[in-house]
Amino acid sequence: MTDASASLDTKPRRGRGLLRALVFLLLGAFLMAAGFGAGYFYFANPLSPAKDVLRLIERTPEADEPAADPDAPQKVPRPTPERESFVTSYYQFKEPLTTNLRASRRLLQAGIGLSTQYDQKVMDNVARNEVALRSDMLAIVGTFSEEELQDKAGRDRLAEALRGAVNARLQQLEGFGGIEAVFFPSFILQ
């Protein structure tokens, strides 16, 4: 009996290794398909990115909210007001103004810029009369003290005084002022 049982155990089993490899291959393919399917359902977006963005922007009630009570207050869209907009033109004097301040040994060196929403004629008038405008601006700046120009409110008062002087000179020389604001691109107390 020992010979018969030994001869049975030593016979190679040809079908078992192939069957085992086929089972592992099918099991691996099934697990991969299940993983891909689960990932697709978990990460898939039923809307394209463009439609998703439009849905968020438009915020339609049927997409975002359940049906509301018809007696409840409703949001009323307001029309966007159409305002006429104007282009702002700027002019910056090439050289900064440098002048003494009232009752001070310190100097102010300030770059001056002007703006208007009128047409280019105003800026052409400024360029044509730059010498007279610089003279008037120097006279105005000399009336301010160092203490008056230490804070933003003082610089705003200076800008308003310069705007008035420039418009007065342009009115006198050209018949129309048109300068709406004065800016200081640089403002140095030395």
Side-chain angles (χ1 to χ4, degrees):
M1 185 135 129
T2 59
D3 288 338
S5 64
S7 67
L8 287 177
D9 287 340
T10 58
K11 283 187 181 177
R13 296 182 185 175
R14 296 180 187 213
R16 288 193 107 178
L18 184 61
L19 182 64
R20 184 178 290 173
L22 185 61
V23 166
F24 281 128
L25 184 65
L26 287 175
L27 183 63
F30 175 75
L31 288 176
M32 279 189 4
F36 281 122
Y40 175 77
F41 285 114
Y42 183 74
F43 292 109
N45 186 355
L47 298 176
S48 71
K51 288 181 182 177
D52 200 20
V53 168
L54 288 176
R55 181 187 60 84
L56 290 173
I57 291 173
E58 292 173 359
R59 306 214 33 104
T60 56
E62 61 272 359
D64 293 339
E65 303 168 358
D69 181 18
D71 296 331
Q74 302 293 320
K75 290 184 179 179
V76 178
R78 288 188 285 171
T80 304
E82 293 184 21
R83 293 186 308 163
E84 199 171 352
S85 63
F86 299 98
V87 175
T88 303
S89 299
Y90 296 94
Y91 180 87
Q92 184 171 350
F93 290 96
K94 293 172 185 59
E95 298 293 324
L97 282 175
T98 304
T99 186
N100 295 23
L101 296 174
R102 185 184 75 213
S104 175
R105 291 182 175 217
R106 295 183 73 181
L107 295 174
L108 172 66
Q109 184 178 37
I112 306 289
L114 308 174
S115 73
T116 186
Q117 289 186 342
Y118 291 100
D119 60 10
Q120 186 60 34
K121 292 177 189 177
V122 173
M123 293 307 174
D124 293 340
N125 291 343
V126 169
R128 185 173 33 258
N129 298 296
E130 185 172 335
V131 172
L133 296 175
R134 286 180 65 85
S135 176
D136 290 345
M137 288 189 293
L138 284 171
I140 295 294
V141 172
T143 64
F144 281 80
S145 69
E146 180 181 342
E147 292 79 28
E148 291 175 315
L149 299 177
Q150 289 297 325
D151 60 354
K152 183 178 178 347
R155 289 189 293 273
D156 289 344
R157 284 190 300 275
L158 176 62
E160 189 60 33
L162 290 174
R163 185 181 74 81
V166 167
N167 280 332
R169 179 61 72 173
L170 288 174
Q171 180 72 32
Q172 177 190 5
L173 297 174
E174 301 292 339
F176 182 74
I179 298 300
E180 295 172 340
V182 174
F183 301 98
F184 301 113
S186 63
F187 197 89
I188 302 168
L189 280 171
Q190 301 180 21

